[in-house]
């Protein structure tokens, strides 16, 4: 069974610091996503990425956030200056155009 | 536009009893529907999915769900609850419209299984 891999599983950072969350999507997938789940809340869409550009982003995905596919295999989410409210579980997902999205196990981000 | 409504943020059942978790969706085009399970401090695991074809879909761990277009529902059931079923369950929808497809999740239902 193919899987999406996310690293690290838990990231602790100080407020104001930059963090990069990493994802390795399934190798033949073309569409990539980040979602966020604040503790006790539902999973929310952040951004979708296709053909090396953002396809859609939510209102949560402001200028502090960016995504990149730097080397054709990794897919990263960068938060430039973390805030306390960025503490959440971040899920990466990937898909081909006609299949369901495969989700990674998530990275728990704790901003202190 | 798409949305998901899960009725009951917390559901308690006795071990061995029927599990019924309710989900209604809204979608402007034919939907793909999913149920995910999340155990404490873990990621999202796909339980089952409906894309096209048979409206009764079976998933892992004895769960099944039925797509009812007329009722815009996709309720999750299991005949006999097990202690290990205690978790949070998310219903989700995406649009069967090609191209990129963002997934919209419901708020989740926490299932408690009472011995």
């Amino acid at each position: 069974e193919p899987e999406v891999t996310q690293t690290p599983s838990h990231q602790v950072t100080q407020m104001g610091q930059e963090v990069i969350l990493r994802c390795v999507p399934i190798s033949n997938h073309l569409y990539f996503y980040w979602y966020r789940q604040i503790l006790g809340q539902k999973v929310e869409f952040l951004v979708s990425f296709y053909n090396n550009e953002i396809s859609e982003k939510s209102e949560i995905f402001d200028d502090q956030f960016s995504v990149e596919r730097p080397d054709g295999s990794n897919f990263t989410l960068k938060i430039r200056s973390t805030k306390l409210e960025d503490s959440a579980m971040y899920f990466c997902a990937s898909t081909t155009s006609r299949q369901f999205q495969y989700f990674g196990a998530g990275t728990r981000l704790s901003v202190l | 536009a798409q949305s998901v409504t899960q009725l009951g943020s917390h559901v308690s059942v006795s071990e061995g009893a029927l599990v019924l978790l309710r989900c209604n969706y809204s979608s402007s085009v034919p939907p793909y529907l999913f149920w995910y399970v999340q155990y404490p401090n873990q990621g999202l695991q796909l339980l089952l999915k409906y894309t096209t074809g048979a409206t009764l879909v079976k998933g892992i761990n004895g769960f099944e769900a039925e797509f009812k277009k007329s009722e815009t529902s996709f309720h999750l059931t299991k005949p006999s609850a097990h202690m290990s079923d205690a978790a949070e369950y998310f219903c989700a929808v995406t649009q069967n419209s090609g191209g990129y497809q963002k997934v919209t999740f419901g708020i989740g239902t926490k299932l408690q299984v009472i011995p």
Side-chain angles (χ1 to χ4, degrees), chain A residues 31 33 35 37 41-43 45 48 55-56 89 91 97-101 103-105 108, chain B residues 32 34 36 38 41-44 46 49 90 96-103 105-107:
Chain A
Y31 301 87
Y33 309 81
Y35 293 81
Q37 183 186 31
Q41 298 185 25
K42 69 176 180 179
V43 179
F45 168 77
S48 58
S55 308
E56 184 179 356
M89 180 77 91
F91 292 104
S97 64
R98 299 243 176 229
Q99 293 187 17
F100 67 92
Q101 293 177 22
F103 282 82
R108 181 168 296 285
Chain B
Y32 285 166
F34 313 90
Y36 288 88
Q38 185 179 35
N41 300 312
Q42 294 190 26
L44 296 166
L46 181 70
K49 66 183 188 292
F90 294 92
N96 180 12
S97 58
Y100 68 89
Q101 302 158 333
K102 81 177 175 187
V103 177
F105 287 84
I107 200 158

Side-chain angles (χ1 to χ4, degrees), chain A residues 43-112:
Chain A
V43 179
E44 301 172 290
F45 168 77
L46 287 179
V47 65
S48 58
F49 190 85
Y50 170 70
N51 201 25
N52 285 319
E53 60 183 25
I54 291 173
S55 308
E56 184 179 356
K57 59 183 181 180
S58 72
E59 59 188 25
I60 302 168
F61 194 88
D62 61 22
D63 291 344
Q64 293 297 311
F65 291 89
S66 62
V67 289
E68 196 176 35
R69 190 156 159 79
D71 56 12
S73 62
N74 291 285
F75 179 51
T76 61
L77 174 69
K78 182 192 292 185
I79 309 174
R80 288 190 183 81
S81 178
T82 51
K83 308 185 196 66
L84 295 176
E85 54 264 38
D86 293 327
S87 295
M89 180 77 91
Y90 289 82
F91 292 104
C92 173
S94 70
T95 188
T96 59
S97 64
R98 299 243 176 229
Q99 293 187 17
F100 67 92
Q101 293 177 22
Y102 289 79
F103 282 82
T107 292
R108 181 168 296 285
L109 177 64
S110 298
V111 182
L112 306 179

Side-chain angles (χ1 to χ4, degrees), chain B residues 24-106:
Chain B
N24 289 89
Y25 71 91
S26 169
S27 176
S28 56
V29 297
Y32 285 166
L33 294 158
F34 313 90
W35 277 98
Y36 288 88
V37 60
Q38 185 179 35
Y39 297 99
N41 300 312
Q42 294 190 26
L44 296 166
Q45 182 180 8
L46 181 70
L47 266 182
L48 49 77
K49 66 183 188 292
Y50 168 79
T51 53
T52 57
T55 56
L56 181 64
V57 292
K58 296 185 186 299
I60 61 171
N61 302 336
F63 284 93
E64 63 182 36
E66 186 170 12
F67 169 60
K68 291 187 176 179
K69 184 178 178 181
S70 61
E71 298 177 10
T72 60
S73 69
F74 191 59
H75 302 328
L76 181 70
T77 60
K78 181 175 180 178
S80 176
H82 191 272
M83 295 299 295
S84 60
D85 295 327
E88 188 155 22
Y89 293 80
F90 294 92
C91 183
V93 62
T94 191
Q95 294 187 343
N96 180 12
S97 58
Y100 68 89
Q101 302 158 333
K102 81 177 175 187
V103 177
T104 299
F105 287 84

